[in-house]
Amino acid sequence: MFEPLDTAPAYLRLSAAIRARILGRELGEGDSLPTETELARQFAVNRSTVREALRNLQSAGLVERRGGGKKLYVSRPAVGAVGDGLREALTLHEARFADVWEALLALEPAVAAAAAKRRDAVQLAELEAIAVEFGASEKLATEAVALVGRFFRALGRASANPVFVLANEPLVQLVEPSLAIIIDRLPQARRRIAAAQRAMVTAIRARDRAAAADWMRRHVEDFRRGFEQAGLPLETVVR
Amino acid sequence: MFEPLDTAPAYLRLSAAIRARILGRELGEGDSLPTETELARQFAVNRSTVREALRNLQSAGLVERRGGGKKLYVSRPAVGAVGDGLREALTLHEARFADVWEALLALEPAVAAAAAKRRDAVQLAELEAIAVEFGASEKLATEAVALVGRFFRALGRASANPVFVLANEPLVQLVEPSLAIIIDRLPQARRRIAAAQRAMVTAIRARDRAAAADWMRRHVEDFRRGFEQAGLPLETVVR
DNA sequence: ATTGTCGGATTGTCGGACAATTATCATGGG
DNA sequence: CCCATGATAATTGTCCGACAATCCGACAAT
């Protein structure tokens, strides 16, 4: 007979309303939002309430401020921001290295295969450049790790699959600290990574999906071995 | 020479400060936050500013209100909430069905294998119950879809890998509407899904990882065929 | 064309206020 | 002694009004 009343706080209903407009494409990426005062007038609430709703949308990445300006623009959630959130969530869920590794083993070969299938010339050149720079490096562990991260991210973009791009990000973030330790402790790590990157680039250049996936699989398995050889237990909780 | 000044608004620095405490485990899950007035006093800002910071943390799932109460408690981001955010992000990134399917094909066999390896008796019973209920159903498409969703989520939990659990969620959410259409249009879809679920349960009961992964692979590939046979183009943008 | 200036618009932050709801606790009954 | 109960205090959600800092756009000066 009667439906339950919506007793949610106004700031939540407000952000839900705007969120729905964005997801329904009535507000497209790049459109600017009305000013806070104007929103307050339209929704007939106080500006403080509007601001709470906006903070909500802002941390979901649905609106953002561009280049030091004041206006808010509708945006698609940035990969980095989504990745940060996922990394936090996984950290608080006490994901262990073994868990992340298991996901990497499932995901990355498919990413590599998709990259081999769909990469364009620019993306191939980027991967090559990163592999060359890594191979030539006598750099600090942190710089080497950053290059590995760039390689994986470039691979994700080359896969032309937004699901892979987004899924990639938190895994790479979570793995980077461990990788730094491995590169520090195991002298052969750099060589093995460089070899794997070369092999993957070659396979991707040849558009050989199977080879790309296979080399990635070895690369990821190597990574686990490195983790163990560096004396770290697989049950280590990542953070 | 000079470092850039931190000119971020107070509400952002405030949420960053609390966020760091939570991620650093100084505030553990279940701890309650001080009241807004108390936070305002400690950080020497106005309560309005505190509230904006809290809205930020709240939508990241780092704090939540429990059972209609007033107090805020530190929490780990709920799987459903993280999944919602990811689904939104993927929608706005214009992920196509083909992209989601490609990710499913990479991820789900690994999830099934992990479930076969690590499931306990309760989780096995849950999977069995869902499969039986699905097999016996003359239900509406929406109910059948809900059961498929429950099957995949139960599988994720049985994998005992939080990365799989979190990655699973948005994919399942994105795929459910398509699945409803398929079940509506293709009479044989129900039978094929039921058969796949039975096979997977059998493999998982026997702890046969390879068989579980293999049946899941077929299941996912079947899903793509169903999508095409239902007359939907793979390039359809999910939402 | 670049730089400086000026007024208006907008955001960030503040203080205070109040109703509605929730937490706390003393108190009396079983 | 334990539990229900009601009064009281604390807290949240929302509003109002205010003001400095900053950004924006237009216009003037170099």
Side-chain angles (χ1 to χ4, degrees), chain B residues 28-153:
Chain B
E29 184 192 351
D31 291 359
S32 69
L33 252 54
T35 65
E36 295 173 353
T37 310
E38 176 59 18
L39 284 173
R41 194 190 60 75
Q42 289 191 28
F43 286 99
V45 296
N46 191 272
R47 189 162 77 97
S48 307
T49 305
V50 170
R51 285 176 64 81
E52 293 188 40
L54 289 179
R55 293 298 85 81
N56 196 326
L57 296 174
Q58 210 171 9
S59 68
L62 266 51
V63 304
E64 69 180 2
R65 233 172 273 290
R66 288 187 180 167
K70 287 191 178 227
K71 281 223 279 275
L72 279 175
Y73 293 88
V74 175
S75 68
R76 59 180 65 173
V79 172
V82 176
D84 287 348
L86 267 173
R87 179 178 45 72
E88 286 176 1
L90 286 172
T91 298
L92 291 173
H93 280 269
E94 315 243 315
R96 298 155 304 163
F97 177 84
D99 298 322
V100 177
W101 179 81
E102 192 172 50
L104 280 174
L105 189 63
L107 190 70
E108 298 302 337
V111 175
K117 185 179 176 189
R118 295 196 283 266
R119 59 88 182 164
D120 64 27
V122 175
Q123 292 161 339
L124 175 63
E126 186 180 4
L127 286 166
E128 266 175 337
I130 297 170
V132 167
E133 190 177 349
F134 184 92
S137 78
E138 297 291 330
K139 303 179 206 298
L140 299 170
T142 54
E143 292 176 87
V145 168
L147 282 170
V148 173
R150 281 179 52 199
F151 188 85
F152 274 84
R153 291 186 179 91

Side-chain angles (χ1 to χ4, degrees), chain A residues 18-38:
Chain A
I18 300 175
R19 182 180 299 252
R21 289 269 212 298
I22 294 174
L23 292 175
R25 300 293 203 282
E26 294 165 54
L27 286 172
E29 185 193 352
D31 291 358
S32 70
L33 252 53
T35 64
E36 295 173 353
T37 311
E38 176 59 17

Side-chain angles (χ1 to χ4, degrees), chain A residues 111-174:
Chain A
V111 175
K117 185 179 176 188
R118 293 196 283 268
R119 58 87 182 163
D120 64 27
V122 175
Q123 291 161 340
L124 176 63
E126 187 180 2
L127 286 167
E128 268 175 335
I130 297 170
V132 167
E133 191 177 349
F134 184 92
S137 77
E138 297 292 328
K139 303 179 205 300
L140 299 171
T142 56
E143 292 178 85
V145 169
L147 283 170
V148 173
R150 280 178 53 198
F151 189 84
F152 274 83
R153 291 186 178 90
L155 209 56
R157 286 192 299 276
S159 78
N161 183 338
V163 186
F164 283 162
V165 174
L166 285 181
N168 226 356
E169 183 63 28
L171 299 183
V172 173
Q173 286 188 22
L174 285 173

